[in-house]
Amino acid sequence: MKKTLRVFGIIAVVVCLIVSIVACDKKGDKDTIDVVAVSESEYASVEDALKGYVKEELAYSTTNYNNEVEEVVKAEYVSNESKGEVAGNTIKLSDAQKTNFVSAEKYAVKVKVAFASINEDFSEATQTVYVLKYGEKFKFMVSTPEVGERITNSYVKMLTDSSKYENCTVSGVGMGKEEDDEEPIFDSATEFKFTKEASQQIKYYDKTRFDNHTPGGDDESNDRVMYVVKNGDSIASVENRISEDKEVWTATALEGEYYKDIKTVADYNKYMFENNVFYMFENLPAALFTKTEKGFEYKYEEVEEDGDKETAVYTITVSDNKIIGMNLIESYIWTVEEKTYVESFESDSKISAFGSTTVSVPEAVTEALSQLA
């Protein structure tokens, strides 16, 4: 391969879901407006509220290992245009959000957004923002983004709320294409089943076994099965190993400083989602994505001085205010003596079986667990 794929470190994040076995919308009724969030801050004017929206909902910063604040997404307010007053009864405010509410107005807000870490030029976008009047003060209100608009921080926060994923199944497949391959080739896949009582994680190194949900049972397969279960006042992982065609289960207590805040299976599942499934939003914050009919996506392309091209397409699928699909295709394209070469990596993950996922813990797992002191 001529160069290592390097777009924003996305692969490192996505592979964490695909490879690691230990650590891993709707708009509403047509006559109502869904409320994603209402600002906690109050503002003295409408324009101040709209500028607050740009700062809080589109700009994004993070704190690095040196405890320094790094700007990831830059966002600038440009202008606004009123789209008229909105009847208060069409906005689905909670009882608390209705306290002292006076009126609501819809605005089209023009903004500029840029990815700070790669010095990308600012691109303009127009966002739908609602401003609510409370007494003599104003708050901005975030609704589900409209198609073509940038995604907001509050929308991602709502979609990634771990309580929505307490019972579900996550499957991820990784595929790679080298320069001489005709099509991408299966690399590995992982299936996670999450319930509050137990979680199951299976790593596959063969496409047929993954498609058939039958992990291999010999030394050559390298497939692995692991359960995370309750162990007294904490939790434990129990993982299988194949040795001389014999299956051996080994239990490990998940304790110590690293697991000090993880005492239940539900805690573990929440950690997995926040740090292994949805962690990509740390590297690719909300405002880089654009709303589509089925969710939202981010596209990137960079052409180097020698003509080599690096591309990435990251697509999120949303249904019923939950993320149900995450797909990444990252490619590097170059030409030598008029022949074009392409290397790529694709990760495709799906989240399903909400509320109907079950995990049956085998007797061998219970026996291994009993061996722990």
Side-chain angles (χ1 to χ4, degrees):
M1 179 175 183
K2 188 178 180 191
K3 291 188 179 180
T4 303
L5 298 178
R6 57 178 174 79
V7 177
F8 322 131
I10 302 176
I11 285 183
V13 174
V14 178
V15 170
C16 192
L17 167 64
I18 304 301
V19 174
S20 173
I21 192 167
V22 176
C24 172
D25 143 354
K26 57 186 179 182
K27 186 69 176 177
D29 299 331
K30 62 180 180 179
D31 296 325
T32 61
I33 301 168
D34 283 338
V35 178
V36 173
V38 174
S39 65
E40 294 184 4
S41 299
E42 291 185 328
Y43 301 89
S45 68
V46 168
E47 186 168 288
D48 285 345
L50 296 175
K51 289 179 178 179
Y53 164 87
V54 175
K55 178 181 179 181
E56 299 296 327
E57 294 296 331
L58 300 180
Y60 186 86
S61 299
T62 188
T63 303
N64 63 23
Y65 291 108
N66 296 322
N67 208 32
E68 300 169 333
V69 177
E70 292 184 348
E71 192 175 30
V72 182
V73 174
K74 299 179 180 180
E76 294 181 0
Y77 168 86
V78 178
S79 62
N80 74 81
E81 178 183 354
S82 174
K83 295 299 181 179
E85 191 167 331
V86 178
N89 60 5
T90 65
I91 301 176
K92 298 164 70 173
L93 295 171
S94 67
D95 289 341
Q97 291 166 342
K98 292 177 182 177
T99 303
N100 297 325
F101 170 77
V102 176
S103 61
E105 193 165 350
K106 180 179 180 180
Y107 289 86
V109 180
K110 185 175 291 186
V111 300
K112 289 183 177 181
V113 179
F115 197 171
S117 64
I118 60 171
N119 298 315
E120 185 176 335
D121 293 336
F122 279 97
S123 60
E124 287 197 352
T126 300
Q127 301 288 114
T128 297
V129 187
Y130 296 86
V131 175
L132 310 183
K133 186 175 183 181
Y134 289 88
E136 296 302 316
K137 299 290 187 178
F138 301 89
K139 295 184 177 185
F140 66 78
M141 189 199 86
V142 182
S143 60
T144 301
E146 297 183 6
V147 172
E149 294 186 349
R150 295 300 183 101
I151 300 302
T152 60
N153 294 329
S154 287
Y155 185 59
V156 166
K157 183 178 179 181
M158 181 268 291
L159 291 178
T160 58
D161 180 357
S162 60
S163 66
K164 297 182 178 184
Y165 305 91
E166 290 180 335
N167 181 280
C168 66
T169 298
V170 181
S171 60
V173 180
M175 293 171 285
K177 179 183 180 302
E178 299 294 332
E179 58 187 72
D180 297 324
D181 296 333
E182 292 293 329
E183 299 292 338
I185 296 173
F186 177 93
D187 178 71
S188 62
T190 303
E191 182 179 67
F192 299 80
K193 291 186 176 182
F194 295 107
T195 75
K196 290 182 179 181
E197 294 75 30
S199 70
Q200 181 192 54
Q201 304 170 22
I202 306 177
K203 176 68 178 291
Y204 297 90
Y205 289 94
D206 177 82
K207 185 178 185 303
T208 300
R209 293 196 298 269
F210 171 68
D211 291 341
N212 294 333
H213 302 282
T214 53
D218 57 58
D219 289 334
E220 302 301 323
S221 71
N222 290 320
D223 294 347
R224 290 289 181 266
V225 181
M226 188 183 79
Y227 293 85
V228 174
V229 294
K230 186 70 175 169
N231 178 41
D233 294 332
S234 60
I235 57 174
S237 65
V238 185
E239 186 175 0
N240 76 333
R241 286 283 187 271
I242 306 298
S243 177
E244 298 179 354
D245 292 334
K246 181 180 179 181
E247 187 175 49
V248 178
W249 290 88
T250 303
T252 303
L254 303 182
E255 55 190 11
E257 182 66 19
Y258 187 78
Y259 292 98
K260 63 185 177 70
D261 296 323
I262 304 176
K263 300 300 183 183
T264 67
V265 174
D267 291 340
Y268 175 84
N269 295 345
K270 179 180 179 181
Y271 174 86
M272 288 289 290
F273 264 94
E274 291 178 350
N275 293 277
N276 293 79
V277 180
F278 294 144
Y279 183 73
M280 87 286 287
F281 293 114
E282 292 287 335
N283 287 341
L284 291 178
L288 298 178
F289 291 88
T290 300
K291 185 73 170 66
T292 63
E293 291 285 352
K294 294 184 178 180
F296 47 99
E297 68 179 10
Y298 174 71
K299 294 182 178 180
Y300 169 81
E301 179 177 302
E302 180 183 4
V303 180
E304 300 177 356
E305 292 183 0
D306 58 3
D308 293 358
K309 184 165 63 175
E310 191 172 349
T311 68
V313 179
Y314 204 45
T315 304
I316 309 293
T317 305
V318 175
S319 177
D320 194 26
N321 284 332
K322 300 183 187 73
I323 292 176
I324 63 169
M326 298 172 289
N327 180 268
L328 162 71
I329 301 177
E330 187 177 73
S331 302
Y332 195 85
I333 305 164
W334 72 97
T335 301
V336 177
E337 296 180 352
E338 299 185 353
K339 182 177 180 180
T340 299
Y341 297 89
V342 178
E343 291 197 356
S344 64
F345 176 85
E346 179 174 359
S347 169
D348 188 54
S349 302
K350 293 179 172 33
I351 307 177
S352 61
F354 292 94
S356 61
T357 295
T358 59
V359 174
S360 297
V361 179
E363 185 177 342
V365 170
T366 304
E367 292 177 356
L369 192 64
S370 67
Q371 302 303 311
L372 285 178

